[in-house]
Amino acid sequence: MTTSPLATAVLVHGAFADAASWTGVIAELQNDGISVVAPPNPLRGLESDAAYIASVAAQIDGPVVLVGHSYGGAVISVAGATKNVVGLVYVAAYVTEKGESLGELQGRFPLSPLVSNLKEETYPVEGAEPAVEVTIKAEAFPDIFAADVPAAVTEVLATTQRPLAASAFTETASAAAWRTKPSWALVAGADQAINPEVERFGAKRAGATIVEIEGASHAVAVSRPKEVAALIRDAVRATS
């Protein structure tokens, strides 16, 4: 009798963060003998970001479980169509349907405080007019993104946040991999960046195995790495 190898967990960060936001989760998974890859999410547009993550997954030898935080959930819903992806884990994330945009999904529910606390700037686009990107206003960042994270850590997170192309809110998803692959979802009960109702709705629609952490902020991977890693571990073991 042969046993199949454990799937590799590919951790996809969302907007206003980078791969370092997974640091505590990575340590937990590696201690459990799970291979982890935490690539940079370009944050330049849903289809292009998904194509990049799909290429990362496709080049991994063996099965892959994609894990998406926040906007990264929409990215893995598209990138998860990649052949060797065997499961999806959503962490305080958007779980989008094919043909749906982030704006349409969150527009079904009361808007979170994030929407009125975005700062717009521009970035150059070759051969075109400058495009708009957004970050969270520095003074609003702690309460909206990381209310349960120590102040010193939150200050670093606010300083290093990566902007998201504004077009990502209106671009529609070309796939919904959760329709054909098993999924898990963690709802952050005190999320001020994504309305928790948006997270619950998407997770239930996907038929995901759902865990909710009461009092957890949007930065749940930073504040509760053990709980986040436990859900990913369940997904990896269930699909391997």
Side-chain angles (χ1 to χ4, degrees):
M1 179 179 177
T2 59
T3 56
S4 58
L6 284 177
T8 297
V10 175
L11 311 183
V12 181
H13 67 81
F16 323 125
D18 61 20
S21 60
W22 294 111
T23 298
V25 175
I26 292 170
E28 293 289 333
L29 294 175
Q30 289 179 336
N31 284 341
D32 286 331
I34 296 171
S35 296
V36 184
V37 176
N41 184 355
L43 305 180
R44 297 294 79 170
L46 181 54
E47 285 303 309
S48 61
D49 293 343
Y52 178 75
I53 296 303
S55 74
V56 171
Q59 294 176 76
I60 293 173
D61 185 21
V64 166
V65 168
L66 287 181
V67 183
H69 173 246
S70 190
Y71 162 71
V75 173
I76 70 168
S77 289
V78 177
T82 306
K83 188 176 180 180
N84 65 325
V85 174
V86 295
L88 307 163
V89 182
Y90 297 92
V91 178
Y94 294 106
V95 187
T96 43
E97 172 65 285
K98 182 178 180 180
E100 184 176 65
S101 70
L102 297 184
E104 289 169 340
L105 174 55
Q106 67 181 12
R108 297 190 180 105
F109 302 89
L111 295 178
S112 72
L114 171 72
V115 179
S116 58
N117 283 284
L118 292 175
K119 177 183 177 183
E120 293 189 356
E121 295 181 314
T122 60
Y123 65 95
V125 179
E126 187 176 355
E129 291 295 312
V132 176
E133 63 183 13
V134 292
T135 53
I136 302 173
K137 294 175 182 177
E139 64 274 16
F141 188 93
D143 287 342
I144 288 175
F145 199 88
D148 59 349
V149 175
V153 176
T154 304
E155 187 173 345
V156 173
L157 294 176
T159 301
T160 59
Q161 62 175 307
R162 290 183 54 207
L164 174 68
S167 62
F169 289 105
T170 56
E171 194 174 348
T172 57
S174 62
W178 49 261
R179 286 202 165 272
T180 58
K181 299 179 182 182
S183 60
W184 290 256
L186 187 149
V187 174
D191 201 328
Q192 296 295 301
I194 301 176
N195 183 338
E197 287 297 329
V198 175
E199 299 171 19
R200 294 185 192 105
F201 170 80
K204 289 177 182 176
R205 180 173 62 178
T209 299
I210 303 171
V211 171
E212 180 158 348
I213 301 181
E214 186 178 349
S217 75
H218 192 60
V220 63
V222 178
S223 63
R224 313 287 185 94
K226 289 184 182 295
E227 291 94 327
V228 173
L231 186 63
I232 299 170
R233 186 187 310 118
D234 288 347
V236 166
R237 289 176 176 168
T239 55
S240 296

